[in-house]
Amino acid sequence: GDSVTQMEGPVTLSEEAFLTINCTYTATGYPSLFWYVQYPGEGLQLLLKATKADDKGSNKGFEATYRKETTSFHLEKGSVQVSDSAVYFCALHSAYTNAGKSTFGDGTTLTVKP
Amino acid sequence: DAGVTQSPTHLIKTRGQQVTLRCSPKSGHDTVSWYQQALGQGPQFIFQYYEEEERQRGNFPDRFSGHQFPNYSSELNVNALLLGDSALYLCASSTDSYEQYFGPGTRLTVT
């Protein structure tokens, strides 16, 4: 079945440092890929998405490129801020399942120190 | 636009009891999915409702059941609660596409 593997956390960075959170996946066919962010006590917010190979999703300075050859969707940001501290989830939606069912990784907790 | 809303925010129940959680989808959305998020883990798919019927189900026992109303709102019911049912329950709505909008969740604690 479908699965998503994220790099284990927690990740602690200083403000303005470069961020990479690794994500790899296993799925049938060609899934759509997502990054969600969850702030303390809140639900999930969609951060960015990519629907086909070589697509780059971007939002709020975050980027991720859909790499079919390596089945990866790593999240990057050039200069993190304290306000980026949150839990980040990589997820996929397989084209062979009904709409709405997503498979999530276990999340990576990011803490950015001033 | 109100977005996805869930109630209650927090809930404390005793083992063996039953609980009902509620979700109102984002305006214009007709599909509702429920997820269970245990502490320190990613959300796990419970089931999805479309046109008032359960369309797809994850690997959860029959103690978990749901309902969708004509206005597209939805309920999640859990019977015979176990300590392991303690989690954040997330509702997500969509328009039969892959892009879901999540609510803030209901934190259920079973003692």
Side-chain angles (χ1 to χ4, degrees), chain A residues 19-41:
Chain A
L19 168 71
T20 299
I21 300 178
N22 291 337
C23 171
T24 57
Y25 67 89
T26 301
T28 303
Y30 306 102
S32 297
L33 302 174
F34 306 85
W35 277 100
Y36 289 87
V37 58
Q38 186 173 37
Y39 298 99

Side-chain angles (χ1 to χ4, degrees), chain A residues 60-77:
Chain A
K60 300 180 181 179
F62 291 89
E63 294 182 340
T65 301
Y66 189 139
R67 301 288 189 197
K68 189 179 76 171
E69 63 276 13
T70 55
T71 61
S72 64
F73 192 55
H74 305 322
L75 182 68
E76 297 182 336
K77 187 176 186 183

